[in-house]
Amino acid sequence: MEKIKVHDKYFKPMISNEEILAGVDRVAEKINLDYKNEENPPILLCILNGALPFTAALMQRLDFDHELVSMKVSSYVGTHTTGSVQNLMGPTASVKDRRVIICEDIVDTGITIRALRKILVEEMGAIDVRVATLLVKPGKLRDQLVKEGLVGAEATEKDIDKFMPEYNAITIPNDFIVGFGLDYDELGRNYKDIYVLSE
Ligand code: IMP
Ligand code: MG
């Protein structure tokens, strides 16, 4: 794995494809256990575009019937979150009265998954929403929760847990990354490994 250039910035190797797929294996195993007795096939909701490679890898490892639905939302411009979530497309099928597993590429501030959980349940009538994510930045999530007053500055890991995705494969520091679906201004999604911004 070598350094790559995306637009004007350089990124260095961080997580290999083998490590990524081992993380997907772990998450799939947990999801399979939780959903094995499900009578109605749940919806696997791919959050476009970033979660496409993760969703594809995950669904190949799921051994219960499920329906694939996609939705496009946006919160990031360049390397920073805008703080508000826009629904750009979908969902491509109704989620009313259905159990939903959101598939995300990464949970950063957590603004996107919090907004999605609310929209899917309160506006669209889903009966249950869980989140599966390839990556999570717990540091950024914590900062945002403190900033919004949802937890205190002294919050323990247990307090933060309530806001964490139900299933997450890999935990990373507060760095900006690309690859395996993740982009920097729409480029860099095609790399099979994950790269981190280098100064
Ligand atoms: P959040 O709403 O702050 O949790 O951000 C979620 C969305 O921001 C993800 O679905 C990604 O599309 C994008 N995002 C967050 N961190 C990164 C990153 O390091 N690289 C690329 N995209 C990111
Ligand atoms: Mg994105």
Side-chain angles (χ1 to χ4, degrees):
M1 285 161 81
E2 301 216 326
K3 229 178 185 185
I4 56 165
K5 190 177 183 202
V6 183
H7 292 294
D8 57 328
K9 296 190 194 304
Y10 287 93
F11 293 81
K12 62 184 183 205
M14 185 188 194
I15 308 168
S16 71
N17 187 259
E18 291 69 28
E19 287 174 79
I20 295 169
L21 295 182
V24 181
D25 282 340
R26 290 193 296 272
V27 161
E29 205 176 311
K30 282 195 196 138
I31 298 179
N32 279 330
L33 273 176
D34 288 354
Y35 287 83
K36 68 177 177 207
N37 296 322
E38 205 62 29
E39 283 185 14
N40 297 323
I43 285 178
L44 204 59
L45 183 65
C46 174
I47 306 304
L48 300 171
N49 293 316
L52 233 161
F54 171 56
T55 307
L58 179 64
M59 68 185 297
Q60 288 170 9
R61 290 163 171 78
L62 298 184
D63 54 21
F64 56 90
D65 283 341
H66 60 273
E67 195 179 320
L68 178 63
V69 174
S70 298
M71 185 172 178
K72 188 168 184 176
V73 297
S74 175
S75 67
Y76 254 66
V77 174
T79 58
H80 288 97
T81 180
T82 59
S84 69
V85 179
Q86 260 185 295
N87 182 359
L88 303 178
M89 188 199 100
T92 52
S94 171
V95 299
K96 191 166 164 35
D97 300 327
R98 303 291 296 273
R99 295 188 72 183
V100 177
I101 306 166
I102 296 174
C103 288
E104 255 290 35
D105 50 0
I106 188 162
V107 172
D108 181 78
T109 61
I111 290 173
T112 304
I113 58 160
R114 267 194 288 135
L116 273 172
R117 284 187 203 267
K118 202 169 145 93
I119 294 167
L120 290 166
V121 173
E122 291 175 17
E123 292 175 25
M124 298 178 178
I127 49 174
D128 177 64
V129 177
R130 294 190 193 172
V131 177
T133 186
L134 178 62
L135 299 135
V136 62
K137 297 180 194 167
K140 289 283 283 287
L141 178 65
R142 183 194 175 92
D143 291 349
Q144 183 65 29
L145 294 172
V146 172
K147 192 171 149 193
E148 289 187 42
L150 291 166
V151 302
E154 309 298 312
T156 60
E157 210 169 297
K158 218 172 156 204
D159 301 323
I160 307 293
D161 264 357
K162 287 181 224 142
F163 297 89
M164 284 282 278
E166 284 80 356
Y167 310 100
N168 92 72
I170 300 167
T171 295
I172 61 164
N174 296 348
D175 304 315
F176 189 78
I177 57 171
V178 294
F180 206 82
L182 289 125
D183 70 302
Y184 164 41
D185 271 347
E186 294 307 324
L187 297 186
R189 297 192 196 274
N190 53 306
Y191 292 97
K192 67 180 177 54
D193 306 301
I194 287 174
Y195 295 79
V196 62
L197 187 62
S198 65
E199 311 72 45

